[in-house]
Amino acid sequence: MTTHYPSTIIALIKNLSRLPGIGEKTAERLAMHILKVPLKEASGLAESILKVKEKVRLCNKCFGLSDSEVCKICSDVNREQNVLCVVEQPGDLVALEKSGAFKGLYHVLQGVLSPMEGVGPDDIRIRELEKRISEERIKEVVIATGTNVEGEATACYIAEVLGILPVKVTRIASGVPIGGDLKYVDQVTLRKAMETRHVF
Amino acid sequence: MTTHYPSTIIALIKNLSRLPGIGEKTAERLAMHILKVPLKEASGLAESILKVKEKVRLCNKCFGLSDSEVCKICSDVNREQNVLCVVEQPGDLVALEKSGAFKGLYHVLQGVLSPMEGVGPDDIRIRELEKRISEERIKEVVIATGTNVEGEATACYIAEVLGILPVKVTRIASGVPIGGDLKYVDQVTLRKAMETRHVF
């Protein structure tokens, strides 16, 4: 350990190196940077950390990240109000938003079904999804959970549960990534792409 | 920009990405991590940032980093009290301490002479060094400034200034790094290593 610094600096280095991907060397460099910058910049960083912990909560409607009761997307009247995209985590929502591919509302499950880890349907926001579909008169639910085993299982389960409701349930497509070279694509993906081929 | 997050998260990402070597993607990942960790860990980080800015100052004696008037090294009576090692920056002091090669006291110049950037002898702590040599009855001054142009010039200047004082002035050795392969060592270093060769 770098015990050759004053104790306040050692404490900062220790706290910084708890962040993911920040080793002790990087933490040391960051601490030296923080020492050098104007007080305003450093306290701005500290305060934004505290503020995020204080303010950020889950949106009451979609369970995405929000700093108010209802998030920006849910309260945006310009978005399609009767299409819901179901994702696993807030990060997936952000990825879809960045792509600009979806203009409806989201529903963040806050997890995936995983019997191995004891996560059942009542541990993720599936009941809330059902409730929203009836209450908000949703016409289509796009299931955009991951394409790994848990994501697929969750998608299947949701499709089944929603089967009795008057709503169209769709699944985002799987296949060869755009710009991908066929010889580098794994066999399962290729098989899926072949199975779900469509008329050109 | 990742405008798809609540504004408090955007502010945190922006502040984190001001840190050196932290791009926007990494800042986003760090922000998500901070959101997930217990409040105690996040506020610990925020507080250690503020504390460093509040507490850390320059040691009254050596001008190294300290969180008290006189730093740990200067107040350590077990260290050799009459040998001073002159370094450019606090980071150099830490590097030497890590090596364990030096057991005396330090003097941090807080810079190097650089006429190009308008840094003269009165802009770095050379006067304070002269004062310490007489007051603390220093017997040897080891000049450990860098081996680049500015560092060498500063070393020469200090050696000249101290020439009139009853003190032994030495310079850390330059040469081939240990474990270094001769064919990868630059020509200037090789020439220096040859010039300063010693009896085996």
Side-chain angles (χ1 to χ4, degrees):
Chain A
M1 247 305 267
T2 50
T3 49
H4 310 292
Y5 287 107
S7 57
T8 43
I9 300 182
I10 294 174
L12 177 59
I13 294 175
K14 223 172 113 190
N15 282 324
L16 285 168
S17 61
R18 283 209 186 104
L19 295 172
I22 308 278
E24 205 189 303
K25 281 252 170 188
T26 311
E28 203 178 326
R29 196 163 45 82
L30 293 178
M32 287 303 111
H33 173 84
I34 288 169
L35 261 175
K36 258 192 297 182
V37 298
L39 176 62
K40 207 182 142 199
E41 194 175 324
S43 57
L45 173 60
E47 276 154 29
S48 60
I49 292 172
L50 294 172
K51 213 159 194 175
V52 148
K53 295 303 281 186
E54 181 201 336
K55 290 268 176 93
V56 175
R57 35 166 294 161
L58 297 186
C59 166
N60 275 358
K61 276 181 81 181
C62 74
F63 306 101
L65 298 173
S66 174
D67 43 17
S68 50
E69 288 224 338
V70 172
C71 75
K72 280 192 287 193
I73 294 175
C74 285
S75 44
D76 183 349
V77 291
N78 292 320
R79 299 188 69 112
E80 285 182 59
Q81 300 290 318
N82 47 18
V83 187
L84 272 192
C85 178
V86 177
V87 294
E88 293 176 17
Q89 297 291 355
D92 304 328
L93 182 159
V94 172
L96 277 168
E97 279 299 289
K98 280 183 186 165
S99 79
F102 183 69
K103 296 291 174 209
L105 302 177
Y106 289 93
H107 187 85
V108 183
L109 293 173
Q110 294 289 341
V112 270
L113 294 179
S114 173
M116 294 281 283
E117 290 174 28
V119 182
D122 292 325
D123 300 314
I124 60 178
R125 311 285 187 170
I126 293 181
R127 303 291 163 245
E128 289 86 345
L129 173 63
E130 293 175 68
K131 217 174 130 203
R132 283 185 75 184
I133 289 168
S134 356
E135 280 177 4
E136 298 175 31
R137 293 184 201 168
I138 302 300
K139 287 203 177 123
E140 181 180 352
V141 172
V142 186
I143 305 179
T145 54
T147 51
N148 54 5
V149 177
E150 281 97 349
E152 288 289 358
T154 308
C156 286
Y157 179 85
I158 292 174
E160 207 187 302
V161 166
L162 302 188
I164 50 161
L165 296 175
V167 66
K168 186 174 160 193
V169 181
T170 54
R171 176 87 170 112
I172 51 160
S174 292
V176 180
I178 302 301
D181 196 327
L182 250 68
K183 63 177 172 292
Y184 300 126
V185 175
D186 64 287
Q187 298 172 10
V188 184
T189 303
L190 274 183
R191 223 172 293 144
K192 184 82 181 175
M194 193 53 79
E195 271 171 33
T196 54
R197 67 191 180 273
H198 51 79
V199 179
F200 197 56
Chain B
M1 248 302 268
T2 50
T3 49
H4 310 291
Y5 287 108
S7 58
T8 45
I9 300 182
I10 295 173
L12 176 59
I13 293 175
K14 221 172 117 191
N15 282 323
L16 284 169
S17 61
R18 282 209 186 105
L19 296 172
I22 307 278
E24 204 191 302
K25 280 251 170 191
T26 311
E28 203 179 324
R29 197 163 44 83
L30 293 178
M32 288 300 112
H33 173 84
I34 288 169
L35 260 177
K36 257 193 298 182
V37 297
L39 175 62
K40 210 183 142 199
E41 194 174 323
S43 58
L45 172 60
E47 276 154 27
S48 60
I49 292 171
L50 294 172
K51 213 158 194 176
V52 147
K53 295 304 280 186
E54 180 201 340
K55 292 269 176 94
V56 175
R57 36 166 294 162
L58 297 185
C59 167
N60 274 356
K61 278 181 79 181
C62 73
F63 305 102
L65 297 173
S66 174
D67 43 16
S68 49
E69 287 223 338
V70 173
C71 74
K72 280 192 288 192
I73 294 174
C74 286
S75 43
D76 184 350
V77 291
N78 292 319
R79 300 187 71 111
E80 283 183 59
Q81 301 290 318
N82 47 21
V83 188
L84 271 191
C85 177
V86 177
V87 294
E88 293 176 18
Q89 297 291 356
D92 304 328
L93 181 160
V94 172
L96 278 167
E97 280 299 288
K98 280 184 187 166
S99 78
F102 183 69
K103 296 292 173 204
L105 302 178
Y106 289 93
H107 187 85
V108 183
L109 293 172
Q110 294 289 344
V112 270
L113 294 179
S114 173
M116 293 280 283
E117 291 173 29
V119 182
D122 291 326
D123 300 313
I124 59 177
R125 310 285 187 169
I126 293 180
R127 304 289 164 246
E128 289 86 345
L129 173 63
E130 293 176 67
K131 217 175 130 203
R132 282 185 76 184
I133 289 166
S134 357
E135 280 177 5
E136 298 175 31
R137 294 181 198 168
I138 302 299
K139 289 202 174 121
E140 180 180 351
V141 171
V142 186
I143 306 179
T145 53
T147 51
N148 53 4
V149 177
E150 282 97 350
E152 288 289 358
T154 309
C156 285
Y157 179 85
I158 292 174
E160 208 185 300
V161 166
L162 302 188
I164 52 160
L165 295 176
V167 66
K168 185 175 160 194
V169 180
T170 55
R171 175 89 170 111
I172 51 159
S174 291
V176 180
I178 302 301
D181 196 326
L182 250 69
K183 65 179 169 292
Y184 300 126
V185 175
D186 65 290
Q187 298 173 10
V188 184
T189 303
L190 274 182
R191 224 173 290 141
K192 184 81 181 177
M194 193 55 80
E195 271 171 34
T196 53
R197 67 188 179 277
H198 51 81
V199 180
F200 197 56

